[in-house]
Amino acid sequence: AGAAALGAKVALVERHLMGGDCLNTGCVPSKALLRCAQAAADTRRGTEYGLRLPTPVEVDFPAVMERLRRLRASLAPHDSAQRFAKLGVDVFFGDARFANSDTVDVEGIRLRFARAVIATGAHARIPDVPGLAAAQPFTHETIFNLTQLPRRLAVLGGGPVGCELAQGFARLGAQVTLFHTKSHLLDREDPDAAARVQEAFLAEGIRVRLDTQLEHVDLEPATGERTLHFRQPSGPGSITTDAILVATGRAPNVATLNLDGLGVQYDALRGVHVNDFLQTTHPRIYACGDVCLRWKFTHAADFAARLVIQNALFALGPFGRRRLSSLVMPRATYTDPEIAHTGLDLRELEQRGLATDTYTVPFSAVDRAVTDGETDGFARVHTRHGTDRILGATVVGKHAGDLISELTLAIHAGIGLGRIASTVHPYPTRAEILRKLGDAYQRTRLTPRAKSVLAALLRWRQ
């Protein structure tokens, strides 16, 4: 769409569904489901807010899924072939492969190009565990086809997708067991933030099995029950469940593109290899999105696409080229509490050997969080030692994904904690926690020497 708007002649090839993962099997359906799960959880807490409600809360799961599909259908026109055709894009459906260095073959149709972009995304990866594939597990690509809620659900994977859907289905009434191979959930995140999510899961009755290796799965054809056999540090174990959801990672879609024939380097784990300008090892071919980025987010694909347009079409013009490394990439996991992060994380700060100062404010210190009855969580910022320059930040709590944008802007624009402290934030809002982080930095500037100088000045004025 962007290239066509700038006057380029564009062909778009899609082999399955327009809109890709985000619309069909990712962000849109998952957040529709999570909103219903949140409504169920809030209703169960009704007595805390003075409401008298029938117990237990009953969830109409078919109605939940009908709403999900209705909302997805309402958003589908934004990604439709008809819309792109109106924008001046030639849309082709079918499998595409590179015929040579300037031609793509789509089901026998030859499309010549001056520049090409590989944006084929990724698919769910099923671990090579004996019996798992035969047990017909769900993935994020198939779980939203359900019309009846599984009574028992085993979720494999304690990353963002596994955690979001584990909590969502548990709140809708399933008995959920979550398996993770690491020692705590969401192991990429700040350990204190991840611990808040883990505690919430246990409080909601989700069975969390950490440091667990799945060894094999048995399917009972007569009943449809699946038995998962696993090993933990304490020894072997097993559980029986009605359905399995695999959320252990994704693999790039590269197999049918004939990349070897063009010398485009790739591998099965990382996908297509690109440089900092998103250019592949073939100078006329670029890539963006989940097929090449370590950030598997819709917003990452969006901004990578913007870089590709500039670098592929205007690299020789007055605009110059833009680097992928210039982006400040936030991320959010939509559990309850949410976790959001931007900038460098603890691991990256340690790897770079950067001296830092850390400021943390709990939501229990924010009046709006108190009145909402949602004080679990905190905001934390890491700055370069002795300065207010923000290197990285984490927010865990309600609406963390919305709050992280102000800190992302601050890093991107070079705005320090001091300027955030001097920016008026409306009261009472949860965003006030960010101003309080700025205040925490400002207090460090009041050293004993500075305090004594100010005291002397005030005495002189008196």
Side-chain angles (χ1 to χ4, degrees):
L6 293 171
K9 183 173 175 59
V10 182
L12 173 64
V13 183
E14 173 55 56
R15 72 176 182 182
H16 188 39
L17 295 173
M18 295 286 287
D21 268 3
C22 182
L23 173 66
N24 298 292
T25 62
C27 310
V28 170
S30 68
K31 301 314 169 277
L33 183 141
L34 292 182
R35 182 62 187 90
C36 294
Q38 182 69 60
D42 289 343
T43 303
R44 294 185 183 103
R45 293 182 59 200
T47 55
E48 298 178 26
Y49 301 96
L51 305 179
R52 295 180 181 178
L53 301 168
T55 55
V57 174
E58 294 185 10
V59 173
D60 185 345
F61 187 76
V64 169
M65 300 307 284
E66 187 279 330
R67 174 182 180 273
L68 179 158
R69 297 184 183 103
R70 173 166 40 84
L71 294 177
R72 181 171 57 187
S74 72
L75 295 174
H78 297 301
D79 292 321
S80 66
Q82 292 85 352
R83 173 175 177 263
F84 278 84
K86 289 179 181 179
L87 294 173
V89 177
D90 298 324
V91 180
F92 298 83
F93 285 94
D95 280 303
R97 65 187 301 276
F98 288 99
N100 52 53
S101 61
D102 69 351
T103 307
V104 168
D105 181 277
V106 185
E107 310 283 350
I109 299 173
R110 291 295 182 101
L111 305 175
R112 295 194 62 189
F113 63 85
R115 297 287 187 272
V117 181
I118 302 168
T120 51
H123 61 274
R125 185 174 62 241
I126 305 296
D128 188 18
V129 174
L132 178 58
Q136 300 177 322
F138 291 103
T139 68
H140 76 279
E141 298 166 355
T142 57
I143 193 71
F144 302 114
N145 295 332
L146 283 172
T147 56
Q148 296 297 322
L149 179 71
R151 185 171 66 87
R152 298 167 296 181
L153 176 66
V155 178
L156 309 184
V161 174
C163 284
E164 287 181 9
L165 293 180
Q167 187 178 42
F169 276 93
R171 287 178 161 187
L172 293 173
Q175 182 186 95
V176 174
T177 304
L178 177 58
F179 292 87
H180 192 44
T181 58
K182 305 294 179 62
S183 59
H184 67 83
L185 300 178
L186 299 169
D187 39 89
R188 287 186 58 197
E189 305 298 341
D190 181 302
D192 292 338
R196 298 296 182 100
V197 174
Q198 192 163 303
E199 291 164 4
F201 279 19
L202 295 174
E204 293 184 20
I206 299 172
R207 301 174 181 177
V208 179
R209 296 188 177 274
L210 303 172
D211 291 317
T212 302
Q213 299 292 332
L214 185 63
E215 296 194 322
H216 67 277
V217 179
D218 294 327
L219 171 65
E220 175 54 57
T223 63
E225 291 184 329
R226 286 91 168 153
T227 302
L228 287 73
H229 302 273
F230 54 86
R231 181 169 294 277
Q232 295 177 298
S234 59
S238 65
I239 68 158
T240 299
T241 188
D242 301 301
I244 301 171
L245 170 63
V246 174
T248 53
R250 304 170 71 208
N253 296 323
V254 294
T256 62
L257 297 175
N258 188 32
L259 299 181
D260 292 319
L262 272 70
V264 175
Q265 293 183 6
Y266 67 96
D267 62 64
L269 182 63
R270 290 169 48 204
V272 177
H273 296 184
V274 294
N275 61 20
D276 206 20
F277 304 106
L278 292 169
Q279 189 176 38
T280 72
T281 48
H282 188 293
R284 298 173 65 183
I285 300 176
Y286 292 74
C288 66
D290 291 0
V291 74
C292 66
L293 298 180
R294 64 184 178 92
W295 304 312
K296 303 283 191 267
F297 316 130
T298 295
H299 52 277
D302 178 353
F303 274 78
R306 298 169 191 231
L307 295 186
V308 164
I309 291 172
Q310 182 167 334
N311 294 341
L313 300 183
F314 300 105
L316 300 179
F319 300 100
R321 296 198 295 176
R322 286 190 61 200
R323 295 179 177 272
L324 183 67
S325 57
S326 69
L327 298 179
V328 180
M329 190 59 62
R331 62 176 183 262
T333 299
Y334 301 97
T335 48
D336 184 9
E338 290 182 8
I339 294 183
H341 179 83
T342 192
L344 301 177
D345 59 31
L346 288 172
R347 189 177 308 155
E348 291 168 325
L349 290 170
E350 292 173 359
Q351 289 173 349
R352 300 189 186 192
L354 295 173
T356 61
D357 298 317
T358 299
Y359 304 92
T360 303
V361 175
F363 273 109
S364 58
V366 178
D367 290 357
R368 180 58 183 270
V370 173
T371 58
D372 286 347
E374 297 168 343
T375 57
D376 187 29
F378 57 83
R380 175 171 292 163
V381 165
H382 305 288
T383 63
R384 185 177 288 277
H385 178 62
T387 77
D388 71 342
R389 179 189 167 195
I390 301 171
L391 299 176
T394 293
V395 181
V396 56
K398 288 283 190 180
H399 309 295
D402 297 301
L403 295 173
I404 204 66
S405 292
E406 182 175 337
L407 295 169
T408 304
L409 173 62
I411 297 174
H412 176 71
I415 298 170
L417 276 182
R419 288 180 65 187
I420 292 177
S422 64
T423 301
V424 180
H425 289 67
Y427 175 92
T429 61
R430 298 181 71 85
E432 194 186 11
I433 198 170
L434 306 179
R435 182 190 56 76
K436 288 178 178 288
L437 283 169
D439 290 344
Y441 162 75
Q442 296 286 49
R443 284 193 292 272
T444 65
R445 302 178 65 191
L446 191 62
T447 62
R449 175 178 170 77
K451 191 172 182 179
S452 65
V453 170
L454 290 173
L457 176 63
L458 291 172
R459 286 196 300 271
W460 176 78
R461 291 187 62 182
Q462 292 172 357

